[in-house]
Amino acid sequence: MRRSAALTFVLRRLKRLGLWRFLFWSFIIFNFLPVALLTYHIQTTISPLEFLLKDMREPKTVIDVPIPSANASLVVLDMINVHQHLVERWLYVRYSSDRSDEELGYGLIWPKPGVAGIDRFNTSTWVANQVVLPSGEMCNDIFIMLKMSNRTAFRKLSFGLNNGMLHSFHGTMMRDNGSLVTVEQSAELIHVSRRWFGLIENNNNKVVHSAYGDWIDQEKRKNAVYDQIIIREREESDGDVVYYPNRVFSDASTVRKLYRLLKENGFIIVYISRRDKSERENIFSTYKASFGEHCKVLEPSKTQNSYLFCQKTNNSTTFEKIHRGAFS
């Protein structure tokens, strides 16, 4: 009797509501509710990287900034490193001609803390990782230069920003009483580094927009001196090959001015890339003319590039000690 009464009650309710309403809501519940629950699960439990590894098969253009003076543009691309399960942000110079894109560097990115929902999968909202240095030849160069320069120098001067990674990693290592000034002649490059690569700037860690020769002359007139100078600026070229350093820093008169900007026992590091043997020897001879015998070249096996290390000193023992410490 109870079962019969219950069935009669259900049939009456269905008749009152209408069979079509019952079927409609049944369809909604059994078809759309699972999809909604699955979407919520993906956005709250699955990591953005797992999602992107399945979805992001091609690099995604984050921004394209024109450089009218160079007939080119700065292009920021986010791409998956499938082998290392990382998301990398690359910076290129893209020319309007048939010339190949020029790499300016890359860094790792990750989602902003606390960001939920679909924004977790939009890499353009992600921020630069200033803690972990990615692998690769370009970053091996960065690591070597960081190791060479991580001495007791308090005032550092750097030429060439690239994507700002070297400047930012210096900033994270800087002591409270230390300072770093990086000079960059491209306003567009400074903007992109700030907006898309998390460029670190504060009272002791500054980026200056200026032509290199003008800045050197200005500091010379001010009688400014530095413990260390780093040169990692590329040479503009009409072809596909990019050379380091910029020709400004291969000029004998510029090298003499840089020598005067160094304190006693201060040193300079010059990044040399894509130069043939005769060009490297000419650069070395130019610096040796100002620094004397206190210049040496490092050519690590894990990179195709060279590093010129020179110190302003009359003490060979001091030079050898710092040289060994920097290159060990």
Side-chain angles (χ1 to χ4, degrees):
M1 290 292 295
R2 290 182 179 178
R3 184 176 299 175
S4 177
L7 181 61
T8 302
F9 173 78
V10 170
L11 292 174
R12 285 178 179 174
R13 295 296 296 175
L14 287 174
K15 185 177 181 180
R16 183 176 298 178
L17 291 173
L19 184 60
W20 67 272
R21 291 183 180 178
F22 171 74
L23 294 175
F24 172 77
W25 286 109
S26 297
F27 178 80
I28 293 294
I29 291 172
F30 288 102
N31 287 276
F32 290 99
L33 184 60
V35 174
L37 291 174
L38 179 61
T39 302
Y40 175 79
H41 171 75
I42 289 174
Q43 294 188 3
T44 54
T45 60
I46 296 180
S47 77
L49 186 56
E50 292 176 16
F51 183 89
L52 290 169
L53 283 170
K54 298 174 183 177
D55 176 67
M56 192 170 160
R57 293 178 177 84
E58 297 294 331
K60 293 185 178 180
T61 302
V62 178
I63 194 69
D64 190 322
V65 179
I67 311 176
S69 60
N71 201 23
S73 61
L74 290 172
V75 179
V76 177
L77 293 177
D78 288 350
M79 62 185 73
I80 289 287
N81 184 325
V82 178
H83 302 292
Q84 298 187 31
H85 285 214
L86 300 169
V87 182
E88 300 168 347
R89 177 163 291 167
W90 283 79
L91 178 60
Y92 292 87
V93 178
R94 180 163 294 166
Y95 296 90
S96 56
S97 62
D98 294 334
R99 178 178 169 184
S100 302
D101 293 350
E102 175 188 335
E103 295 176 2
L104 291 187
Y106 71 100
L108 303 181
I109 58 173
W110 52 15
K112 291 181 180 178
V115 173
I118 201 66
D119 279 347
R120 295 170 68 240
F121 308 129
N122 180 8
T123 60
S124 66
T125 66
W126 291 20
V127 294
N129 182 336
Q130 302 294 0
V131 179
V132 180
L133 190 68
S135 61
E137 180 178 324
M138 187 178 297
C139 292
N140 284 336
D141 293 330
I142 297 291
F143 175 78
I144 291 169
M145 296 195 76
L146 284 171
K147 181 175 175 58
M148 290 169 65
S149 63
N150 188 21
R151 305 294 121 191
T152 58
F154 296 124
R155 296 198 70 206
K156 298 182 181 182
L157 175 62
S158 176
F159 292 96
L161 185 62
N162 291 299
N163 68 344
M165 188 165 65
L166 180 61
H167 179 93
S168 294
F169 272 93
H170 265 297
T172 60
M173 296 162 52
M174 191 67 65
R175 300 180 181 182
D176 293 337
N177 57 347
S179 66
L180 169 64
V181 175
T182 295
V183 185
E184 172 56 51
Q185 58 187 2
S186 169
E188 295 87 356
L189 189 55
I190 295 174
H191 164 71
V192 169
S193 297
R194 285 171 174 162
R195 175 64 180 84
W196 302 105
F197 289 89
L199 184 65
I200 294 178
E201 295 177 278
N202 50 49
N203 291 335
N204 296 332
N205 206 33
K206 299 178 181 180
V207 174
V208 176
H209 176 222
S210 174
Y212 300 130
D214 293 345
W215 177 263
I216 293 171
D217 289 339
Q218 172 189 306
E219 295 298 279
K220 182 172 172 287
R221 287 192 298 269
K222 291 163 52 179
N223 293 320
V225 287
Y226 294 87
D227 295 283
Q228 177 185 327
I229 297 175
I230 303 170
I231 298 173
R232 194 176 188 274
E233 176 57 308
R234 71 192 191 284
E235 170 65 42
E236 297 290 347
S237 171
D238 294 331
D240 288 339
V241 181
V242 180
Y243 299 97
Y244 288 80
N246 185 287
R247 70 178 65 186
V248 171
F249 303 105
S250 302
D251 178 73
S253 63
T254 300
V255 174
R256 287 193 293 270
K257 293 174 184 177
L258 292 172
Y259 180 85
R260 297 189 190 101
L261 287 181
L262 282 172
K263 291 181 179 179
E264 186 65 26
N265 294 325
F267 57 92
I268 189 169
I269 301 169
V270 185
Y271 175 71
I272 304 173
S273 177
R274 306 295 191 269
R275 300 286 186 182
D276 60 31
K277 184 176 180 181
S278 63
E279 288 180 312
R280 290 198 302 270
E281 289 177 351
N282 287 337
I283 294 172
F284 181 59
S285 298
T286 301
Y287 278 83
K288 194 172 180 180
S290 291
F291 288 87
E293 297 299 319
H294 303 120
C295 281
K296 287 197 176 181
V297 176
L298 170 68
E299 295 181 329
S301 57
K302 57 184 176 181
T303 175
Q304 299 177 357
N305 307 313
S306 304
Y307 308 85
L308 177 62
F309 180 94
C310 299
Q311 187 182 20
K312 182 180 181 178
T313 182
N314 293 318
N315 189 330
S316 297
T317 303
T318 302
F319 171 71
E320 289 297 331
K321 181 179 179 181
I322 294 181
H323 174 266
R324 284 196 304 271
F327 286 3
S328 62

